[in-house]
Amino acid sequence: MSSVSIHQTAIVAPGARLGHNVKIGPYCVVGENVVLDADVELISHVCVEGHTHVGAGSRIFPFASVGHQPQDRKYQGEASRLEIGERCVIREAATLNPGTAGDGMVTRIGNDCLIMASAHVAHDCIIGDNVILANYVGIAGHCHIGDNVTFGGTVVVHQRTRIGAYAFIGAQSMVDGDVIPYGMAVGNRAALAGLNLVGLKRRQFDRDAIHRLRAAYRMIFSNERTLRERAEDAAELFKNDAMVQDVVTFITSAADRPILVPRNGNGGSES
């Protein structure tokens, strides 16, 4: 404990486990079942409760509420968990809830995530690595968000929605269907607006791979036959392309889920 810094106004329960070089600022509250790994910093006025594990190097800013009971009437006090990865930044007034018995009993947030002011991650969500939630984003319960997804401000995501890796969700969108990997969704209600080409280029994806993905996208979201049939055709035509296979697997792996499609039915804009 000699390497831990706890402000004299903070309240830390005796059972809390604090790693090397943890810093707990003024007026923070840390519950008895909380684990803060090495180099975690609670700036001030942070409340961390429940069975919550915060990964090494993460920083949590004032008035964030982390690990309090879910906003779910079915919750009956079960010892569900909230797991936050390493090097995450959780900004002012964000709220993150643990899981419930109605799902996997855990809410999990990956490494290197940025959760901006007043954003909300509800119970039983699984959030990948390097995800950005801009201000006032609301993720409802049971959602699965892939790696490297970016949300613009004031986005709302319906419960049990899946959003594939490297997708981009435009500001002020209401998302009530699944968004394919590498896709871009915009609007209220949101529709698929093409591929996240800017994001793919910024992350230095291979140019030829992007061209193949664009060709597959046009095939999958054309107007002929069913979406599943078009996806299976793309899987065969681009059977050696990992990015196309990611999209196809996402579409075909959950037949009972609505998939967002372009509004005009012909592949949408890709700008």
Short mmCIF file of all heavy atoms in Angstrom, two decimals, residues 2 14 31 59 69 83 93 117-118 143 154 159 166 189 197 216 221 231 243 257:
data_model
loop_
_atom_site.label_atom_id
_atom_site.label_comp_id
_atom_site.label_asym_id
_atom_site.label_seq_id
_atom_site.Cartn_x
_atom_site.Cartn_y
_atom_site.Cartn_z
N SER A 2 2.18 1.17 0.26
CA SER A 2 3.00 2.36 0.36
C SER A 2 3.06 3.15 -0.94
O SER A 2 3.33 4.34 -0.94
CB SER A 2 4.43 1.98 0.80
OG SER A 2 5.01 1.10 -0.16
N PRO A 14 -12.38 -1.35 3.14
CA PRO A 14 -11.25 -2.20 3.51
C PRO A 14 -10.98 -3.35 2.53
O PRO A 14 -9.85 -3.76 2.35
CB PRO A 14 -11.66 -2.74 4.89
CG PRO A 14 -12.61 -1.73 5.43
CD PRO A 14 -13.36 -1.20 4.25
N GLY A 31 -15.69 0.85 -3.53
CA GLY A 31 -16.36 -0.20 -2.78
C GLY A 31 -15.47 -1.37 -2.43
O GLY A 31 -14.36 -1.53 -2.94
N ARG A 59 -7.85 5.73 -16.53
CA ARG A 59 -8.09 6.99 -15.80
C ARG A 59 -9.59 7.28 -15.84
O ARG A 59 -10.22 7.19 -16.89
CB ARG A 59 -7.32 8.15 -16.42
CG ARG A 59 -5.82 7.94 -16.48
CD ARG A 59 -5.14 9.16 -17.09
NE ARG A 59 -5.12 10.27 -16.13
CZ ARG A 59 -5.22 11.55 -16.47
NH1 ARG A 59 -5.40 11.89 -17.75
NH2 ARG A 59 -5.16 12.50 -15.55
N GLN A 69 -25.57 -0.73 -9.59
CA GLN A 69 -26.50 -1.74 -10.08
C GLN A 69 -27.14 -1.32 -11.40
O GLN A 69 -27.36 -0.13 -11.65
CB GLN A 69 -27.57 -2.04 -9.05
CG GLN A 69 -28.62 -0.98 -8.85
CD GLN A 69 -29.69 -1.45 -7.87
OE1 GLN A 69 -29.39 -1.78 -6.72
NE2 GLN A 69 -30.92 -1.49 -8.33
N GLU A 83 -16.10 -5.38 -16.02
CA GLU A 83 -14.66 -5.51 -16.28
C GLU A 83 -14.25 -4.44 -17.29
O GLU A 83 -14.79 -4.39 -18.40
CB GLU A 83 -14.35 -6.90 -16.82
CG GLU A 83 -14.70 -8.02 -15.84
CD GLU A 83 -14.51 -9.41 -16.44
OE1 GLU A 83 -14.10 -9.49 -17.62
OE2 GLU A 83 -14.78 -10.40 -15.73
N ALA A 93 -18.95 12.18 -15.72
CA ALA A 93 -20.36 11.79 -15.63
C ALA A 93 -20.75 10.60 -16.48
O ALA A 93 -21.93 10.35 -16.71
CB ALA A 93 -21.26 12.98 -15.96
N ALA A 117 -17.69 12.23 -22.02
CA ALA A 117 -18.57 12.75 -20.98
C ALA A 117 -20.02 12.34 -21.18
O ALA A 117 -20.56 12.41 -22.29
CB ALA A 117 -18.47 14.28 -20.92
N SER A 118 -20.65 11.88 -20.11
CA SER A 118 -22.07 11.55 -20.04
C SER A 118 -22.47 10.39 -20.94
O SER A 118 -23.66 10.20 -21.21
CB SER A 118 -22.93 12.78 -20.36
OG SER A 118 -22.70 13.81 -19.41
N CYS A 143 -25.74 -5.25 -25.79
CA CYS A 143 -25.14 -4.94 -27.10
C CYS A 143 -23.73 -5.51 -27.19
O CYS A 143 -23.01 -5.59 -26.19
CB CYS A 143 -25.12 -3.43 -27.33
SG CYS A 143 -26.75 -2.70 -27.59
N THR A 154 -24.05 11.88 -29.18
CA THR A 154 -25.49 11.70 -28.97
C THR A 154 -26.08 10.55 -29.77
O THR A 154 -27.24 10.59 -30.18
CB THR A 154 -26.27 13.01 -29.24
OG1 THR A 154 -26.13 13.37 -30.61
CG2 THR A 154 -25.78 14.14 -28.36
N GLN A 159 -31.17 -1.99 -27.55
CA GLN A 159 -30.70 -3.20 -26.87
C GLN A 159 -30.50 -4.36 -27.83
O GLN A 159 -31.19 -4.50 -28.82
CB GLN A 159 -31.67 -3.59 -25.77
CG GLN A 159 -33.04 -4.01 -26.27
CD GLN A 159 -34.02 -4.22 -25.13
OE1 GLN A 159 -33.87 -3.67 -24.06
NE2 GLN A 159 -35.02 -5.04 -25.37
N TYR A 166 -14.54 -1.91 -36.73
CA TYR A 166 -14.16 -0.82 -37.62
C TYR A 166 -15.36 -0.06 -38.20
O TYR A 166 -15.22 0.68 -39.16
CB TYR A 166 -13.26 -1.31 -38.76
CG TYR A 166 -11.93 -1.82 -38.30
CD1 TYR A 166 -11.72 -3.18 -38.07
CD2 TYR A 166 -10.87 -0.95 -38.07
CE1 TYR A 166 -10.49 -3.66 -37.63
CE2 TYR A 166 -9.64 -1.42 -37.63
CZ TYR A 166 -9.46 -2.78 -37.42
OH TYR A 166 -8.25 -3.24 -36.98
N ARG A 189 -34.41 6.71 -37.94
CA ARG A 189 -33.62 5.54 -37.62
C ARG A 189 -32.47 5.37 -38.61
O ARG A 189 -32.56 5.73 -39.76
CB ARG A 189 -34.47 4.28 -37.65
CG ARG A 189 -35.60 4.14 -36.66
CD ARG A 189 -35.19 4.36 -35.23
NE ARG A 189 -36.07 3.69 -34.27
CZ ARG A 189 -36.72 4.34 -33.35
NH1 ARG A 189 -36.64 5.67 -33.33
NH2 ARG A 189 -37.46 3.69 -32.48
N LEU A 197 -14.77 4.15 -45.24
CA LEU A 197 -13.54 4.24 -46.02
C LEU A 197 -12.51 5.16 -45.39
O LEU A 197 -11.31 4.87 -45.42
CB LEU A 197 -13.86 4.70 -47.44
CG LEU A 197 -14.74 3.75 -48.27
CD1 LEU A 197 -14.97 4.32 -49.66
CD2 LEU A 197 -14.10 2.37 -48.36
N ALA A 216 -17.54 -6.31 -52.99
CA ALA A 216 -18.41 -7.24 -52.26
C ALA A 216 -19.59 -6.51 -51.65
O ALA A 216 -20.72 -7.02 -51.66
CB ALA A 216 -17.60 -7.95 -51.18
N PHE A 221 -25.40 -5.74 -51.14
CA PHE A 221 -26.52 -4.82 -50.93
C PHE A 221 -27.15 -4.36 -52.25
O PHE A 221 -27.69 -3.26 -52.35
CB PHE A 221 -26.06 -3.64 -50.08
CG PHE A 221 -25.68 -4.05 -48.68
CD1 PHE A 221 -24.35 -4.16 -48.32
CD2 PHE A 221 -26.66 -4.38 -47.76
CE1 PHE A 221 -24.00 -4.57 -47.04
CE2 PHE A 221 -26.33 -4.79 -46.48
CZ PHE A 221 -24.99 -4.89 -46.12
N ALA A 231 -25.03 -12.54 -49.76
CA ALA A 231 -23.85 -12.69 -48.91
C ALA A 231 -23.13 -14.00 -49.20
O ALA A 231 -21.90 -14.05 -49.25
CB ALA A 231 -24.26 -12.62 -47.44
N MET A 243 -11.51 -9.69 -45.05
CA MET A 243 -12.45 -8.62 -44.73
C MET A 243 -13.85 -8.95 -45.24
O MET A 243 -14.84 -8.75 -44.53
CB MET A 243 -11.96 -7.29 -45.31
CG MET A 243 -10.67 -6.80 -44.68
SD MET A 243 -9.99 -5.34 -45.51
CE MET A 243 -11.16 -4.07 -44.98
N ARG A 257 -31.54 -11.53 -36.42
CA ARG A 257 -31.23 -10.14 -36.15
C ARG A 257 -31.47 -9.28 -37.39
O ARG A 257 -31.12 -9.66 -38.50
CB ARG A 257 -29.76 -9.99 -35.75
CG ARG A 257 -29.40 -10.56 -34.38
CD ARG A 257 -30.05 -9.76 -33.29
NE ARG A 257 -29.80 -8.33 -33.45
CZ ARG A 257 -30.54 -7.37 -32.92
NH1 ARG A 257 -31.60 -7.69 -32.19
NH2 ARG A 257 -30.25 -6.10 -33.12
#
